[in-house]
Amino acid sequence: GKLGIKRSQINEIIRGKRNITSDIAILLEKVLGVDADYWMNAQKQYELDKARINEKTKEQKAAIEKWNTYKDKIAVKFLKKQGYITGNPFDDIPSINEIYGIEKLENIQKVFAQTQFARLRQSEKLEMNRVNLIGWVKLLEHKAKNETIGKFQLEKKDNLIEELKGIINENRDTLEKVRKLLSDYGIKLIYQEKGEKTPIDGISFWSDNNPAIGLTLRHKRIDNFAFTLFHELGHIYKHLTKNKEAEFIDLKNKYHSIRNKKEENEADTFAKNHLINSKSWKKFYENDRNITDELIVAFAKKEKIHPAIVLGRLCYETGNYRRKTKIDYNIH
């Protein structure tokens, strides 16, 4: 036509298979009245966009290759369920680096060698998935790092304990009230459900200038919640204040062989004695082994503690967890 070039060549230009040369740009200017510079700039922009797409494709491929190399160290299913990764390695690798506290994905292997994880061993027999467990811990550390609260008030331990027992005894909007109270005393508290084969109740560690506690609420019972919370507080007051580099992972009892027995026993004792006065418990427990719900409720009222905590302690001491009871042990 007027351009002096074939229709097929024009179609190739439209489809991006043929470049707009300076000669064609001048011809288009004459025929369409649109400045030749416009056509040359359009060609330049097209080439830049094409180059960017090619570069992104290369980066996507590189990200997929890297992901496939290290994905067995990442709690993929767990973190995807929690909404932290999408399934696109190009977008997910920066998120994983941030959560696991590493500069590049290759360093994730070093995470597994960290002191608190070195003793953990994958065990199908005991149904523990080491990758999911470490993923949960790293997510807790990441979430705690992003929280900012006031100064930790070590000297007000007794005040905190009494207020905590009051909130747990009342058992109304308990989880949020406990979280806020700990925050007021300078302790970070994060609730985070666990992944598959992750037999963990809680964790305590130092996060920037504050101690932090993470709880899975695995049992969804007020007695388990209270004991695990006070167990982690035991670690804070007895261990973390002396060693801010330590981290205590509270696993199920059958994993006790990979826990530090001395420190775990100290945290257990702290929880028992601060939830229920040891002298009062001894008198209550030894006086009558046929302890009814009514006696539990009366003792709990006297000690100003939720009756489900007394019931839980009783089940533990007697080894009888199938005891019939009308005491409500749900968290409200």
Side-chain angles (χ1 to χ4, degrees):
K2 293 181 180 179
L3 287 175
I5 56 177
K6 295 178 182 178
R7 185 182 296 273
S8 60
Q9 290 176 310
I10 294 173
N11 286 335
E12 286 177 353
I13 290 171
I14 292 169
R15 294 203 304 269
K17 292 187 175 182
R18 181 185 288 268
N19 291 344
I20 299 174
T21 63
S22 55
D23 290 337
I24 292 174
I26 290 170
L27 285 172
L28 288 169
E29 180 183 70
K30 287 180 179 179
V31 174
L32 301 175
V34 178
D35 198 88
D37 287 343
Y38 170 81
W39 299 109
M40 293 303 294
N41 287 334
Q43 177 64 41
K44 183 180 178 182
Q45 188 60 50
Y46 169 76
E47 289 172 1
L48 283 171
D49 290 344
K50 188 177 178 182
R52 287 191 183 106
I53 290 168
N54 289 339
E55 183 63 26
K56 190 168 184 180
T57 301
K58 286 180 186 176
E59 290 173 353
Q60 286 273 18
K61 286 181 179 177
I64 290 168
E65 287 176 9
K66 188 179 285 190
W67 185 268
N68 288 338
T69 302
Y70 298 103
K71 66 181 180 182
D72 62 328
K73 300 287 185 187
I74 302 166
V76 177
K77 189 176 178 181
F78 167 65
L79 291 172
K80 197 170 183 180
K81 185 182 177 184
Q82 300 304 314
Y84 284 89
I85 56 176
T86 62
N88 180 349
F90 184 78
D91 297 324
D92 292 343
I93 287 174
S95 300
I96 292 298
N97 291 347
E98 190 175 346
I99 290 168
Y100 283 77
I102 52 181
E103 290 184 8
K104 51 186 180 179
L105 198 60
E106 295 90 314
N107 292 342
I108 198 165
Q109 298 194 78
K110 294 179 181 178
V111 172
F112 283 68
Q114 290 174 2
T115 306
Q116 66 271 44
F117 304 131
R119 290 177 294 173
L120 301 178
R121 292 289 178 269
Q122 185 95 346
S123 172
E124 290 302 320
K125 186 179 178 183
L126 292 177
E127 296 187 330
M128 185 180 80
N129 185 308
R130 189 172 174 230
V131 172
N132 279 348
L133 181 64
I134 292 173
W136 182 87
V137 171
K138 286 299 167 186
L139 180 58
L140 256 294
E141 292 174 358
H142 170 69
K143 291 174 85 168
K145 192 174 183 180
N146 289 329
E147 278 200 13
T148 304
I149 60 174
K151 185 181 177 182
F152 174 49
Q153 301 179 52
L154 174 62
E155 71 286 354
K156 293 187 177 180
K157 181 193 79 173
D158 294 339
N159 302 66
L160 171 60
I161 296 294
E162 286 308 306
E163 287 188 61
L164 266 180
K165 287 170 70 174
I167 290 172
I168 292 168
N169 189 18
E170 184 184 21
N171 197 18
R172 291 179 188 169
D173 194 22
T174 305
L175 298 181
E176 179 55 26
K177 285 180 180 177
V178 167
R179 189 201 61 77
K180 187 179 183 306
L181 180 67
L182 261 64
S183 177
D184 291 342
Y185 280 85
I187 300 174
K188 299 177 182 181
L189 174 60
I190 297 158
Y191 304 116
Q192 175 59 58
E193 67 174 310
K194 66 182 190 67
E196 292 179 358
K197 294 185 178 180
T198 310
I200 190 167
D201 289 316
I203 188 173
S204 49
F205 55 96
W206 206 268
S207 175
D208 294 328
N209 298 315
N210 302 87
I213 293 173
L215 300 179
T216 61
L217 305 176
R218 186 161 59 94
H219 296 288
K220 299 179 175 63
R221 292 172 56 118
I222 192 73
D223 54 329
N224 290 101
F225 166 70
F227 188 84
T228 305
L229 175 64
F230 274 62
H231 176 96
E232 303 306 338
L233 285 171
H235 279 312
I236 287 174
Y237 289 113
K238 297 189 75 66
H239 308 131
L240 286 171
T241 51
K242 299 169 187 174
N243 179 11
K244 294 182 180 180
E245 299 302 315
E247 185 168 57
F248 298 95
I249 302 169
D250 186 20
L251 299 165
K252 275 171 72 174
N253 287 337
K254 64 180 177 179
Y255 297 87
H256 68 276
S257 60
I258 56 175
R259 305 161 88 198
N260 184 313
K261 288 184 180 180
K262 180 178 180 293
E263 290 169 334
E264 294 305 323
N265 287 339
E266 287 175 350
D268 280 349
T269 300
F270 179 96
K272 286 179 184 178
N273 293 342
H274 282 85
L275 282 168
I276 304 173
N277 178 276
S278 58
K279 289 181 180 178
S280 300
W281 174 258
K282 188 176 181 181
K283 186 178 178 182
F284 170 71
Y285 182 60
E286 289 185 351
N287 276 359
D288 188 353
R289 287 304 181 97
N290 185 26
I291 300 173
T292 62
D293 278 2
E294 288 73 22
L295 287 171
I296 289 171
V297 171
F299 176 73
K301 188 175 182 180
K302 180 185 172 187
E303 293 296 313
K304 298 179 181 178
I305 193 69
H306 195 284
I309 293 171
V310 180
L311 175 63
R313 175 77 176 269
L314 193 63
C315 291
Y316 176 79
E317 297 282 354
T318 61
N320 178 17
Y321 292 93
R322 295 185 177 182
R323 172 193 173 104
K324 290 183 179 180
T325 182
K326 292 183 178 179
I327 293 171
D328 181 11
Y329 50 75
N330 293 304
I331 302 172
H332 296 289

